[in-house]
Amino acid sequence: MYVRTVQRQAPVGPPSSVRELRFQRCTWCYTIVFRTCLLCPTCASTDLHWERSEGRGRVCSSVEVRRKGQRRRMVTVVELREGVRMRCEVEGANGGLTPFGAPVSVRAIAPDGIPVFSLDPVKGERW
């Protein structure tokens, strides 16, 4: 089997700025896919198009990751308003703890591709 590469004029997948999140959506079944893929995981359609995310969401879960020889860090799962759940890092939490359901917005995208979110101020809510 031979693989043919095609040069594209405009970038398709990567974000065009450091604060932009993009995801793929199937035009047949409207399934949202955050990772880059060639086929829809639900209906196996190849008709996927890129959409821009608003970059706002809420914290679903958070866990502390420790690896030998590296600093410890908090890995958080955020559900965006579009319905996509993604792994990221959240800055601005007290002591590294991120409260469940806290509103967050994208601040930047790290060089390794992991989005960095910041906590939004809570308006009139009590935890």
Side-chain angles (χ1 to χ4, degrees):
M1 176 167 59
Y2 295 100
V3 177
R4 185 176 69 182
T5 59
V6 178
Q7 294 289 335
R8 297 183 187 258
Q9 296 295 332
V12 176
S16 60
S17 69
V18 295
R19 293 187 55 175
E20 183 179 81
L21 290 177
R22 300 184 91 186
F23 60 91
Q24 288 180 310
R25 186 185 300 263
C26 177
T27 56
W28 290 90
C29 66
Y30 300 106
T31 300
I32 296 174
V33 182
F34 188 70
R35 66 190 186 285
T36 303
C37 62
L38 299 174
L39 297 174
C40 173
T42 304
C43 69
S45 171
T46 59
D47 197 10
L48 299 168
H49 68 277
W50 288 95
E51 291 185 14
R52 185 175 179 268
S53 173
E54 184 180 330
R56 302 178 65 86
R58 294 202 174 266
V59 173
C60 289
S61 66
S62 186
V63 66
E64 182 180 13
V65 177
R66 294 182 187 189
R67 292 195 175 146
K68 188 175 182 178
Q70 296 180 359
R71 65 175 181 88
R72 64 182 186 159
R73 62 188 178 109
M74 296 297 290
V75 176
T76 307
V77 175
V78 170
E79 183 174 6
L80 299 175
R81 289 186 179 174
E82 292 84 11
V84 179
R85 286 190 179 192
M86 57 182 295
R87 187 187 80 205
C88 63
E89 292 185 15
V90 176
E91 292 183 348
N94 294 336
L97 298 175
T98 308
F100 178 77
V104 292
S105 59
V106 69
R107 186 179 64 79
I109 297 177
D112 59 354
I114 297 177
V116 179
F117 283 78
S118 61
L119 288 173
D120 290 342
V122 180
K123 299 176 184 175
E125 295 182 19
R126 301 183 90 187
W127 295 97

